[in-house]
Amino acid sequence: MSIAYRFSTALGAMAIALLAAPAFAADGEAAATDAAATQDNSGLTEIVVTATKRETSLQKTPIAMAVMGTEDIKKRHVQSLYDLADGAVPSLRVATFEARQSALTVGIRGIVPLDANQPAREQGVGIYIDGVYLGRQHGLNAALFDVERIEVLKGPQGTLFGRNTEGGALSIVTRAPSGEFGGRFSGGIGNYGSHTAEGHIDLPKFMNLSLKFDGIVQYQGATTKNPLAGQTGWNYYDRKGLRVTARWQPTDAITNDFSYDVAQDKNSPFYSQLLNTNPNGCVAGAQAAASACALPGTAFTSLTGAIKPLSPLVKVNGTTRMDVADIGVPQQPSIDKTHGFTNTFKWHHSPELEVRSITAWRGVDATQWDNSGGAHRVPAVGLNCTGSGCNFSRYSLADLYQRQFSQELQAVGSIGPVDYVAGLYYFKEHVTDDAATPNSMAFNPTLTAVTVLDPCTGSAGFGSQPGCRSIDRASEVWSKSYAAYGQMTYNAGNALHLTVGARYTHDTKRGVLHFSRNINYDVNTAAATANGYRPLDKSWNRFNPMVTLAWDATPDIHLYAKYATGYRAGGASSRTADYQAFDPEDLKSYEVGLKTDLFDHKARLNLAGYIMDRKNSQVDISTLQPTATGTFNNLVTINAPGVTRIRGVEADLTVRPIEGLTLNASYAYTYTDIPAIPITLTERTAAGVATGNVSTVLQKFYIVFTPRNAASGSIDYELPIAKTSASVRLHLDANYSQSTQAFDQFATHNDASFVVNGRLSVANVAVGPGGQKLTFGAWVRNMFDTQYVFRRDPSNSLPSVQTSNIYAGAIGNVQGDYGNFNAPRTFGIDATVNF
């Protein structure tokens, strides 16, 4: 059944023209009110947000924002950030890094870093929990606690939020203690053996102290089974978390919140299938005879080697998601452990001044085990193989340990017609990582049987177990950031508002490469020097201004024009033998917007258009790099010359035509273009000596996971049950994304996607004399079990560069594209008791 057919069927059934995300708003820090759209009998009510560090109306705040409130999270069965990958917010893109659930790639408005998986590289969208910036994208997929809302601020937020917010900011705001006894318990079961349990308890205030406890458990069995006995399948998770919050209010003017959270996320990657075989028709001979068999950034004139036949054990499937892997391989869960302490202090001196302090310590311990590719990734094994030449199934292993401390001081207030925010910020981070990629399996010479290699010595004397690994790379990074910022809004009467702001940032970053290709640089300093290795020791200063002019044309029509800037810090690539450094990238944004309430607040239409220009874009290229042990093909991060152009239009519509019925529609158009980059390859001998042959070609790069067109939508209907406090609630949402690139070096697209989710529930059934309420329902994600490849990797279907002959591409490892299908249909039932 085609995507178009499903789309038209869903639209007809719901009788709406577009389907979209829930009614959205957002803010920049925690607020006591729920920012999800609430309704009365007459229409849509005002939404309060705090994106400017103070409570304001969504419609009067001149920022493009989106938020999912508590009810929206429940209706969509959002359990982790990855559940937003279906496109609930069209401008927000969430994807796993490679196939791994242990690290997420998060992008907004085309700012999507592909490989932020390295300690010395930063993300382009800031992730915050209760106002605390998270330095690493690892551990982001852990279970969400008692979330009040998930906020999305679109466009650069360099003034109030700082560095690494070029694309915007995503903020998770948790629910604070209420000081009154109450809470809720919930549980559910579903297919693939899934089960969930949550407990949230508020204790009454005692001696000015209020306590709140949150606990959560989430489990799902593998959706692709592993035939090897005793090994984990793929797309499995087992999450547990605990959070304790204390609120101390010694006076009416002082509030101090202290929280501690700890979580563990055991998971396995999505299964990587072999989607086709030799799709580009690679064959030895003149490259012109196989024109599609061309590696970007090269100038091959000939192709050498031979395509190896596939084992009869290998299944090629590019159309459907595999329920069982073709070959069982060793696979154990990756484990992410997160913990954090946060203290938020507020002293409301007067309307002219409120002083705030946010202090936080956080940490992540991540161990990665990714063997999802099996025989579908290099190395390719040929008939009559011998010894280590029969080895396959690259086991991608990595460890990351991160600790961070941050301190922010804020002064917020109003003096006459002027609203102001001022602040000081300090951030310190220490990260270590290491990685290894041993083979874990071996074919027999006829490719008709496989064996599991010794986990300590089977891969050319090395293995997957700690202490047995050949370390591909290991690095350590220390980062510090200092900032001072201020923002002021002058309200000229009731209609005109001029906002100006600026932030000064000083960043320092030191890094060392301890290992590269199993060479210990700390011991073998001669090899490190021969490889051109230099430790990272850089500092950068940035001044990021912002100006916004807003006009309230009527009480219900608001327009704004905005100029803003953003900055992403530089770093170094631990994937290179010389620890090659790269510079920061800078972005300028020009935006206009319109926010309206129409038809006596029964409809709300918000529009935004923007132009963003980014200089020194950080992109990844494959290049030859000589080392002390040979010349290798490395992934190098460089700053692209010229200006990367990003243009877009966003529209959000919410309509409440009759009581109980709410329709939402959202759309995002995003155009991106990175100018072609000259790539130079220098031919070298086996000893690393240049031969004099040099090839320079222009290579095109792409911004990943950014569809040109994306839309989403929802319909919500609530029917009260007569003479009771209960009601029946129906929710349906549909989300569409056009196909787009998954790797910045390749023009190859993933598949377009269309996903429908739904929930039917009976809410607020009175079940006890103490006012207890029961809500129970059934949910489904990916209702039509749509199957699409969200990540398609063509690197195994293209020739590789030969170090000794840069004009001849080697095809000996060509197999085909491999990739990952989306999650299958999941469904279940759940119940919640509020007391």
Side-chain angles (χ1 to χ4, degrees):
M1 188 180 296
S2 70
I3 289 177
Y5 177 80
R6 293 191 183 113
F7 193 57
S8 60
T9 301
L11 293 180
M14 290 185 277
I16 59 175
L18 285 172
L19 301 174
F24 289 128
D27 69 54
E29 64 173 44
T33 57
D34 184 357
T38 57
Q39 301 149 350
D40 58 22
N41 292 335
S42 61
L44 301 169
T45 60
E46 184 179 59
I47 300 170
V48 176
V49 299
T50 55
T52 57
K53 308 296 185 183
R54 64 179 66 246
E55 292 188 357
T56 58
S57 165
L58 164 70
Q59 294 304 93
K60 294 181 180 180
T61 303
I63 300 175
M65 295 179 290
V67 71
M68 296 184 71
T70 303
E71 187 61 26
D72 298 314
I73 293 170
K74 180 72 173 179
K75 289 184 294 190
R76 287 178 172 266
H77 198 68
V78 173
Q79 295 184 295
S80 70
L81 287 184
Y82 185 69
D83 289 331
L84 299 179
D86 59 12
V89 181
S91 295
L92 172 69
R93 312 314 302 178
V94 180
T96 60
F97 177 76
E98 291 283 334
R100 305 156 204 160
Q101 297 192 50
S102 56
L104 295 181
T105 295
V106 179
I108 298 175
R109 287 187 173 180
I111 305 297
V112 191
L114 172 61
D115 184 14
N117 207 33
Q118 301 180 56
R121 193 169 186 182
E122 306 293 343
Q123 54 201 2
V125 170
I127 312 295
Y128 297 81
I129 295 181
D130 291 332
V132 176
Y133 173 73
L134 304 185
R136 296 293 106 194
Q137 61 183 14
H138 299 76
L140 291 182
N141 214 27
L144 297 173
F145 291 105
D146 193 8
V147 175
E148 183 174 288
R149 59 193 182 273
I150 300 174
E151 309 160 352
V152 181
L153 280 69
K154 306 173 188 177
Q157 305 295 321
T159 301
L160 294 183
F161 288 85
R163 67 178 192 143
N164 306 332
T165 58
E166 291 178 306
L170 189 151
S171 178
I172 300 170
V173 180
T174 62
R175 196 175 301 278
S178 67
E180 299 179 358
F181 180 73
R184 70 181 190 278
F185 291 103
S186 63
I189 58 173
N191 60 337
Y192 295 105
S194 67
H195 57 264
T196 61
E198 291 185 45
H200 308 280
I201 301 177
D202 263 303
L203 297 182
K205 183 187 294 187
F206 178 74
M207 300 292 290
N208 300 319
L209 185 67
S210 305
L211 296 176
K212 184 172 184 290
F213 300 88
D214 303 299
I216 191 165
V217 173
Q218 299 172 352
Y219 176 87
Q220 177 185 278
T223 60
T224 299
K225 296 180 180 178
N226 189 342
L228 185 60
Q231 298 301 301
T232 302
W234 291 279
N235 190 26
Y236 141 95
Y237 59 78
D238 184 1
R239 306 171 183 140
K240 299 178 177 67
L242 176 67
R243 178 184 174 94
V244 181
T245 307
R247 167 167 284 187
W248 181 51
Q249 295 174 296
T251 71
D252 292 339
I254 293 177
T255 300
N256 192 78
D257 291 339
F258 176 82
S259 67
Y260 170 73
D261 64 87
V262 59
Q264 176 179 277
D265 178 11
K266 294 183 179 180
N267 62 80
S268 62
F270 285 83
Y271 186 59
S272 295
Q273 300 181 197
L274 186 61
L275 305 176
N276 49 47
T277 57
N278 194 14
N280 301 303
C282 296
V283 63
Q287 197 276 332
S291 58
C293 186
L295 181 68
T298 62
F300 295 151
T301 58
S302 64
L303 303 172
T304 63
I307 304 295
K308 298 180 178 70
L310 288 177
S311 163
L313 303 177
V314 174
K315 294 182 180 179
V316 180
N317 185 348
T319 56
T320 59
R321 185 189 307 108
M322 293 174 64
D323 297 325
V324 181
D326 50 9
I327 299 175
V329 299
Q331 176 69 71
Q332 65 184 74
S334 299
I335 302 177
D336 297 333
K337 296 179 180 180
T338 61
H339 64 274
F341 304 84
T342 301
N343 192 86
T344 302
F345 172 85
K346 295 182 180 181
W347 174 43
H348 186 75
H349 175 270
S350 65
E352 289 77 25
L353 176 64
E354 179 173 283
V355 177
R356 304 171 184 171
S357 170
I358 304 174
T359 308
W361 295 264
R362 296 202 62 84
V364 177
D365 298 338
T367 59
Q368 173 190 293
W369 300 77
D370 175 15
N371 207 1
S372 61
H376 308 156
R377 298 193 287 201
V378 295
V381 179
L383 284 169
N384 303 315
C385 64
T386 59
S388 61
C390 295
N391 294 353
F392 73 101
S393 194
R394 172 180 173 269
Y395 211 163
S396 181
L397 313 168
D399 300 303
L400 180 137
Y401 304 96
Q402 184 256 14
R403 298 295 183 268
Q404 69 173 66
F405 168 77
S406 61
Q407 174 64 58
E408 185 167 7
L409 300 174
Q410 299 174 358
V412 182
S414 299
I415 302 175
V418 176
D419 301 327
Y420 73 90
V421 178
L424 299 172
Y425 180 75
Y426 172 72
F427 176 82
K428 180 180 180 180
E429 181 185 39
H430 177 218
V431 194
T432 64
D433 84 321
D434 59 73
T437 53
N439 292 315
S440 60
M441 303 288 292
F443 279 111
N444 67 352
T446 60
L447 307 183
T448 56
V450 298
T451 56
V452 178
L453 295 173
D454 185 285
C456 195
T457 61
S459 183
F462 299 96
S464 60
Q465 294 305 305
C468 303
R469 299 176 181 178
S470 173
I471 304 300
D472 289 348
R473 66 182 187 274
S475 64
E476 188 170 7
V477 180
W478 299 263
S479 301
K480 292 183 180 180
S481 181
Y482 310 81
Y485 63 89
Q487 182 168 300
M488 178 184 70
T489 299
Y490 175 70
N491 303 292
N494 296 322
L496 200 61
H497 315 276
L498 176 63
T499 302
V500 294
R503 188 183 190 104
Y504 174 80
T505 303
H506 174 72
D507 284 342
T508 64
K509 193 182 295 285
R510 294 189 302 110
V512 294
L513 194 60
H514 294 298
F515 273 84
S516 179
R517 301 193 181 274
N518 209 38
I519 299 175
N520 187 333
Y521 279 13
D522 298 334
V523 175
N524 194 343
T525 57
T529 301
N531 288 346
Y533 163 67
R534 292 184 179 180
L536 176 67
D537 189 358
K538 296 279 189 178
S539 63
W540 304 280
N541 300 310
R542 284 297 185 276
F543 179 76
N544 291 110
M546 183 276 292
V547 179
T548 302
L549 181 63
W551 177 43
D552 301 330
T554 72
D556 295 327
I557 299 177
H558 313 279
L559 301 95
Y560 69 88
K562 180 180 180 180
Y563 167 77
T565 58
Y567 147 71
R568 179 154 65 123
S573 174
S574 60
R575 301 182 188 274
T576 58
D578 60 352
Y579 205 38
Q580 181 169 313
F582 51 87
D583 291 327
E585 59 183 27
D586 296 276
L587 181 140
K588 294 181 179 179
S589 172
Y590 309 86
E591 179 177 339
V592 294
L594 169 69
K595 297 187 174 185
T596 65
D597 280 309
L598 307 170
F599 308 115
D600 195 23
H601 293 262
K602 288 185 170 59
R604 179 170 293 151
L605 174 65
N606 293 343
L607 304 173
Y610 61 89
I611 294 174
M612 299 197 300
D613 293 329
R614 184 174 64 183
K615 292 184 177 180
N616 295 321
S617 295
Q618 297 169 10
V619 299
D620 299 315
I621 65 170
S622 292
T623 186
L624 296 177
Q625 189 167 44
T627 74
T629 54
T631 301
F632 299 95
N633 194 350
N634 279 321
L635 188 68
V636 180
T637 303
I638 67 168
N639 294 101
V643 176
T644 296
R645 299 185 302 160
I646 304 174
R647 280 73 172 122
V649 176
E650 298 161 343
D652 297 280
L653 175 66
T654 302
V655 180
R656 193 166 192 249
I658 59 174
E659 182 179 348
L661 177 64
T662 305
L663 308 175
N664 299 282
S666 291
Y667 169 76
Y669 169 86
T670 311
Y671 168 84
T672 63
D673 178 67
I674 301 175
I677 300 172
I679 303 298
T680 300
L681 293 177
T682 301
E683 187 177 272
R684 298 179 183 273
T685 66
V689 178
T691 65
N693 285 333
V694 177
S695 173
T696 300
V697 297
L698 288 176
Q699 182 175 348
K700 185 66 178 173
F701 287 83
Y702 306 91
I703 293 178
V704 298
F705 299 116
T706 303
R708 184 69 59 89
N709 295 282
S712 64
S714 67
I715 178 172
D716 289 278
Y717 184 68
E718 181 171 5
L719 179 65
I721 299 176
K723 300 181 180 180
T724 72
S725 61
S727 62
V728 177
R729 297 176 180 177
L730 170 68
H731 169 84
L732 289 172
D733 66 76
N735 313 275
Y736 168 77
S737 293
Q738 191 175 355
S739 67
T740 183
Q741 286 84 4
F743 291 86
D744 57 3
Q745 298 184 74
F746 303 111
T748 304
H749 278 225
N750 59 14
D751 294 344
S753 64
F754 177 71
V755 176
V756 176
N757 309 308
R759 178 177 176 83
L760 180 64
S761 63
V762 178
N764 298 323
V765 179
V767 292
Q772 295 89 346
K773 297 292 181 65
L774 170 67
T775 297
F776 58 92
W779 58 269
V780 58
R781 289 185 61 85
N782 193 6
M783 182 183 298
F784 297 131
D785 199 21
T786 304
Q787 303 184 57
Y788 61 90
V789 176
F790 72 83
R791 176 186 163 276
R792 186 187 305 272
D793 189 344
S795 59
N796 285 4
S797 64
L798 296 171
S800 58
V801 178
Q802 299 185 91
T803 60
S804 59
N805 186 352
I806 60 175
Y807 299 107
I811 62 174
N813 270 323
V814 168
Q815 296 185 92
D817 298 333
Y818 74 98
N820 310 103
F821 277 85
N822 65 310
R825 175 171 49 219
T826 53
F827 54 86
I829 57 175
D830 56 31
T832 301
V833 175
N834 291 271
F835 58 93

